Amino acid sequence: MLLFALISLLLAEVPSLADEIWTLLWRRWMGTPLWPPAASGDTAFVASAGGEVYALKLKEGVAIWKFKAGRMMAGPALEGMVYVGDVGGNLYGLEGTSGKVLWVRSLWGEVRFPPACGSPGTYVVTGAGILYAFDRKGNERWRVRIPSIPLSGPAVAGGLVLVPCSDGGLRAYDAEDGRLAWISDVGKVTAGPSSAGDLVLAGCGGYAKALRLGDGGVAWSRFLGGRVTGTTSSAVEAFFVTSAGWAYCLDMADGRPVWKEKVGPSGDYGITASGGRLYISGPEGATILSSRRGEILRGWSTGEPARWAQPVSRGVLVSAGGFLYLFGPFTPRSHNPVWQEWAEVRYKGVKVGYRHAWAEEDSTGFVVSTDEVNWQNGFRRTSFRALTDSSYMLGELEGEYREADQLLTVEAKVDSGLLIAERRGPEVVLRDTFEVGPLVPSFALIRHLAVDSFSDSAVRVLDVRRLVPVEERIFSGPDTLDGVGCLRLEVGDGLTVWAEGSGRTLRVWSPSLKEEIRSVPQEEALAWEPPEIPLTVPLDVELPPFRKVGELTLRFPYPVELPSNGRQKVQRAKGCMEVKLTQSLPEDTTSPRRYLGPTVFLQTEHPEILKLAEKLSEGDPEERARRALDWVYSHIRPEETAAKFLTALEVLREGRGT
């Protein structure tokens, strides 16, 4: 009966992904994480090539803590604490909850591969060919010199520490005392080694091999073609992926082929197994396969080759192009909505995110919510929740803007003819009070108009992005959209909305911003598409202080003598010299006019620039600034011009630059 039960479990169908809607839950700039993360519950620990280690909250991608070593990091590994190494030869033991450095050990040689954890300690190999064993307190238990260059980090299996070497030997050392247990002459290891019960799996060039853990002898070997770049296993099957873009399932007992599946073009691939699924990274992105039959369940293009795809509690983490992505099943935030709308957001015809709006009944009216995601260059989520009466007149509002670790919250309340608004950011609180009448939150305007059959010609609206009241004039009339009858509304200056009589929004078009919001089914709205209009600077990278208006770094191959005027920072290292020149505005900026006049590069008195400025000069100073920003954002393509510095006039004429 036990055997029957085990076979039933092994052959049981894995829950299908087809019933779930997966989407991009978040992404953030990480600067190329070289190695897969170590995860524990809802926290993932990630090390980047820039020398930072992050503890990320998987739900939102927010950093709980960050540790910076200043050098390329290898790792992390996780067992009671976080272990990472760097190319300076340091091994760090960090507290998982805070990132506090518990101990540091200086090793002989660079640490270029992640440490490995296993009973009874942690193991790390250096570029000098030294294999170390440490306990949790950082005490060295033993070390051995490996007579060949290590090809990857150690793997722990069955009381042995396995290290593949450049001489074609896979060496196994006793985890207790470092004694050499066996050497297997398998050839150059290109994938693994990976523990699989009483076997060790490895890719060796074009061969998939299984070695006996007891003596290192070859249990079976099968030629797959291409170069084996990844290996993993389940209880009864071994999985391999090759540089030819094929994934293979082999019987664990004898290496007999079970299935194979084409997963992409030629390139470097990685593979991980979890929960009856295979997670594969490759030159085009990430793919999920069924481990039982090999069919492709889901896949995402990342625009750049994916370095790894690691399953975690909320989905799969993917590293590509310097960004860290989390793809996973979408969890609805709405419960029993009276109505809801899904739409995709497009900028210049390219999808850059989605919008979800819904309403739920409340004792005094409705709770109206909106959730908008923009993934054009990073990942920005904007969410609002408003308490309204039955005609969508505002009572209270709360919202937040979140991007990576940056968070801005807003609150507003209408009471006795006053709008009390508050915005909170890092160490900043801004409060405003306005005398107003009844207000409609801007994201519920069309629903409000539908209550009175679109009879209103002017409505007092709370612009939730600026958190200020504005009066919007409405002009409506019959129209068609995609051959279906509807209403067309002109809202304020330059905003056109197509809607049904019920108030359901079908399309929103802003010609000045080149932005379109179009109603689509939920699955289509949530479908990820790599951005085709990247910005020059990722939006989740901290920019330098605004007063620093110019910085130039010069590097000389030899030291030179330079007079100093207090704006130079000089560093000397190994016979070279680096000089950093900074131009800043004075602390007193009450009279900045002399810094804003025309220059060789900023031709503010040129007729073409004056003509454009006059066109954008309507309204108060804030409105003029917004018009200028909108115009530049819509007409100028962000572009670094390393070969030639473009002046303001050249940027205007060519429509590109910075």
Side-chain angles (χ1 to χ4, degrees):
M1 292 298 291
L2 176 61
L3 178 61
F4 177 78
L6 291 174
I7 293 175
S8 299
L9 288 172
L10 291 173
L11 296 181
E13 288 287 344
V14 176
S16 173
L17 293 182
D19 298 331
E20 300 175 324
I21 299 178
W22 280 46
T23 187
L24 177 68
L25 300 181
W26 53 260
R27 76 169 182 159
R28 60 177 292 156
W29 179 259
M30 293 293 293
T32 313
L34 297 176
W35 307 103
S40 175
D42 198 46
T43 304
F45 302 92
V46 186
S48 77
E52 297 90 8
V53 182
Y54 294 83
L56 300 178
K57 189 175 181 181
L58 284 174
K59 181 179 179 181
E60 299 158 333
V62 175
I64 302 170
W65 54 258
K66 180 174 73 171
F67 167 72
K68 185 171 180 62
R71 296 172 180 264
M72 184 176 69
M73 307 299 291
L78 183 66
E79 189 176 75
M81 66 176 65
V82 181
Y83 301 91
V84 289
D86 66 23
V87 294
N90 298 305
L91 179 67
Y92 300 86
L94 308 178
E95 188 176 61
T97 56
S98 66
K100 176 184 176 182
V101 178
L102 300 178
W103 49 260
V104 184
R105 298 294 177 263
S106 181
L107 311 183
W108 185 10
E110 301 174 338
V111 181
R112 290 191 173 273
F113 303 113
C117 296
S119 179
T122 300
Y123 307 89
V124 62
V125 67
T126 70
I130 308 296
L131 174 62
Y132 292 86
F134 294 92
D135 64 18
R136 289 190 178 183
K137 294 182 179 180
N139 299 314
E140 183 179 321
R141 296 175 45 244
W142 52 260
R143 74 170 77 175
V144 296
R145 186 176 185 88
I146 302 171
S148 184
I149 300 174
L151 295 179
S152 72
V156 181
L160 298 176
V161 183
L162 309 172
V163 182
C165 301
S166 60
D167 62 0
L170 177 61
R171 289 170 168 81
Y173 297 89
D174 191 290
E176 287 288 345
D177 55 18
R179 176 180 52 84
L180 181 64
W182 49 258
I183 303 175
S184 182
D185 187 14
V186 294
K188 184 178 180 180
V189 175
T190 56
S194 173
S195 174
D198 58 357
L199 296 176
V200 176
L201 303 179
C204 304
Y207 287 86
K209 296 186 178 183
L211 311 180
R212 294 186 297 272
L213 187 60
D215 59 10
V218 177
W220 51 260
S221 176
R222 181 163 296 276
F223 181 72
L224 301 180
R227 175 172 51 90
V228 178
T229 58
T231 179
T232 188
S233 64
S234 65
V236 295
E237 292 168 326
F239 305 99
F240 298 85
V241 65
T242 72
S243 60
W246 285 91
Y248 295 84
C249 174
L250 307 180
D251 188 277
M252 189 73 78
D254 55 12
R256 175 179 50 85
V258 178
W259 56 256
K260 71 174 184 177
E261 179 70 31
K262 184 69 171 176
V263 292
S266 297
D268 288 327
Y269 287 85
I271 186 170
T272 304
S274 178
R277 299 166 185 165
L278 300 176
Y279 299 82
I280 297 177
S281 58
E284 293 184 334
T287 307
I288 302 180
L289 272 65
S290 164
S291 61
R292 182 181 176 189
R293 295 192 178 95
E295 70 265 31
I296 295 178
L297 303 176
R298 292 203 180 274
W300 302 273
S301 171
T302 51
E304 298 281 348
R307 300 188 66 93
W308 43 258
Q310 182 75 9
V312 291
S313 60
R314 292 184 179 270
V316 55
L317 278 174
V318 180
S319 170
F323 283 97
L324 186 64
Y325 301 74
L326 177 64
F327 295 101
F330 174 78
T331 302
R333 299 178 62 185
S334 57
H335 304 283
N336 301 318
V338 178
W339 56 261
Q340 64 176 329
E341 300 175 359
W342 287 94
E344 62 180 18
V345 181
R346 292 185 170 270
Y347 171 64
K348 293 186 176 180
V350 177
K351 183 176 181 179
V352 295
Y354 65 86
R355 176 182 290 183
H356 181 207
W358 68 96
E360 298 167 319
E361 286 186 325
D362 184 71
S363 58
T364 59
F366 297 113
V367 179
V368 188
S369 305
T370 181
D371 191 19
E372 182 172 329
V373 164
N374 185 304
W375 57 52
Q376 179 179 352
N377 206 66
F379 189 92
R380 185 190 308 114
R381 183 184 295 276
T382 306
S383 304
F384 292 101
R385 180 177 180 270
L387 302 181
T388 73
D389 63 15
S390 58
S391 61
Y392 299 97
M393 290 298 181
L394 179 66
E396 298 180 8
L397 175 128
E398 60 183 18
E400 67 175 38
Y401 302 81
R402 182 182 293 278
E403 184 162 4
D405 301 328
Q406 303 173 39
L407 176 65
L408 171 67
T409 62
V410 299
E411 293 182 1
K413 183 177 182 179
V414 177
D415 186 19
S416 302
L418 293 178
L419 170 66
I420 304 170
E422 180 177 284
R423 287 170 285 183
R424 290 181 176 269
E427 302 180 3
V428 177
V429 179
L430 300 176
R431 296 183 179 90
D432 293 298
T433 302
F434 304 90
E435 292 186 5
V436 297
L439 280 177
V440 178
S442 53
F443 55 84
L445 173 60
I446 306 304
R447 291 285 173 170
H448 164 76
L449 294 173
V451 172
D452 293 326
S453 302
F454 297 91
S455 60
D456 292 346
S457 59
V459 180
R460 194 74 168 165
V461 174
L462 174 63
D463 184 333
V464 296
R465 294 188 179 274
R466 293 189 295 160
L467 218 60
V468 295
V470 295
E471 184 170 297
E472 298 286 16
R473 299 197 63 81
I474 314 295
F475 300 93
S476 62
D479 200 356
T480 60
L481 183 67
D482 299 328
V484 179
C486 62
L487 288 170
R488 173 172 173 156
L489 300 94
E490 301 294 336
V491 181
D493 294 330
L495 190 67
T496 305
V497 180
W498 288 262
E500 294 178 343
S502 63
R504 176 172 172 261
T505 300
L506 302 176
R507 184 188 180 215
V508 180
W509 170 240
S510 173
S512 61
L513 297 179
K514 300 294 189 295
E515 185 178 72
E516 178 186 20
I517 300 171
R518 180 177 283 269
S519 175
V520 295
Q522 177 184 1
E523 188 166 1
E524 186 176 342
L526 292 171
W528 155 259
E529 294 180 12
E532 299 177 15
I533 311 177
L535 299 179
T536 302
V537 180
L539 295 177
D540 48 5
V541 172
E542 293 183 3
L543 298 178
F546 74 94
R547 285 194 179 92
K548 185 180 290 183
V549 296
E551 185 173 282
L552 177 66
T553 300
L554 304 174
R555 293 181 178 86
F556 298 90
Y558 48 83
V560 297
E561 293 297 327
L562 289 176
S564 175
N565 60 3
R567 294 188 292 108
Q568 301 169 357
K569 181 179 180 181
V570 180
Q571 293 182 336
R572 292 180 172 85
K574 297 182 179 179
C576 299
M577 187 173 78
E578 181 179 282
V579 181
K580 184 174 291 186
L581 307 175
T582 302
Q583 177 67 51
S584 302
L585 289 176
E587 290 297 318
D588 180 12
T589 57
T590 56
S591 300
R593 183 172 298 278
R594 64 192 180 103
Y595 298 98
L596 303 178
T599 69
V600 174
F601 301 107
L602 299 173
Q603 306 95 329
T604 55
E605 294 181 353
H606 191 279
E608 292 182 34
I609 294 180
L610 288 173
K611 182 179 179 180
L612 175 61
E614 183 178 358
K615 179 181 177 182
L616 303 174
S617 63
E618 298 178 6
D620 58 28
E622 181 180 348
E623 183 61 25
R624 292 199 296 269
R626 177 175 290 277
R627 284 176 177 270
L629 177 63
D630 291 345
W631 191 94
V632 171
Y633 191 71
S634 302
H635 294 79
I636 304 299
R637 183 175 75 252
E639 180 176 302
E640 292 183 344
T641 53
K644 177 187 176 185
F645 182 88
L646 298 182
T647 68
L649 186 60
E650 289 173 319
V651 170
L652 174 62
R653 290 173 173 174
E654 297 185 22
R656 66 185 181 92
T658 57

